[in-house]
Amino acid sequence: MNIPFLDNWLNRHQTERGAGLAAALAADPEGINELFSECEMLRGQARRAGLELDGSPASLEALDQLMPRWRRDPEAVPWLGNDAGFYLGTVIITSIPGTAWEVWPNGQPIIRLASGRELNVVESGVSWAMTGSPELSQAYAEASEG
């Protein structure tokens, strides 16, 4: 269904939402890094499996080895995937020089590598939570190559 005024309204509000996150990121990048690194749902799943997430690339490999019991709860998968993407982004930001969070106009946070390449880590995290692919450690390895 094509409703022009509704499309315009949705596009305007998506842009405003993206602008708000972009402004917060510009004003307090460390605060945003801290917020994105919380990942409570993912940390809870890992903790229950005996894994403590320490922000290291090795922790991504350990996450890849977890039994995906969360897939039994289809409502939890997108939320866990979102957390996995933010955790992947946090590991990249803290361990690969020249990387930074950025925000697309639609409000989607992404990682920009020093080379200028953009990574949609949230999309990678959701895919990992749903299917196991790409592995988080693989996504990190590709990011570290530049």
Side-chain angles (χ1 to χ4, degrees):
M1 186 188 290
N2 184 14
I3 306 174
F5 75 88
L6 184 58
D7 289 340
N8 290 337
W9 183 86
L10 287 171
N11 288 337
R12 183 177 71 237
H13 287 294
Q14 284 181 346
T15 301
E16 290 169 2
R17 181 178 51 203
L21 182 56
L25 185 57
D28 186 10
E30 291 304 315
I32 294 295
N33 286 340
E34 188 175 322
L35 176 67
F36 286 169
S37 71
E38 288 181 7
C39 315
E40 286 305 312
M41 186 176 209
L42 179 69
R43 289 181 187 280
Q45 287 282 340
R47 203 172 297 117
R48 283 189 287 282
L51 173 63
E52 201 61 40
L53 300 180
D54 62 3
S56 70
S59 67
L60 296 172
E61 292 176 24
L63 279 170
D64 288 337
Q65 301 306 311
L66 290 181
M67 289 296 293
R69 291 186 175 95
W70 59 81
R71 290 192 191 130
R72 294 182 204 149
D73 183 357
E75 290 182 18
V77 170
W79 296 102
L80 185 68
N82 197 57
D83 274 9
F86 282 131
Y87 184 71
L88 170 62
T90 298
V91 173
I92 290 170
I93 292 286
T94 59
S95 60
I96 301 175
T99 59
W101 286 105
E102 289 200 5
V103 180
W104 282 340
N106 68 357
Q108 178 69 43
I110 56 109
I111 297 289
R112 182 175 301 276
L113 302 175
S115 67
R117 188 170 134 224
E118 297 176 340
L119 302 175
N120 188 337
V121 290
V122 172
E123 183 178 89
S124 295
V126 170
S127 179
W128 171 83
M130 294 177 80
T131 67
S133 178
E135 291 184 338
L136 298 175
S137 59
Q138 176 188 0
Y140 175 83
E142 290 173 5
S144 66
E145 292 172 358

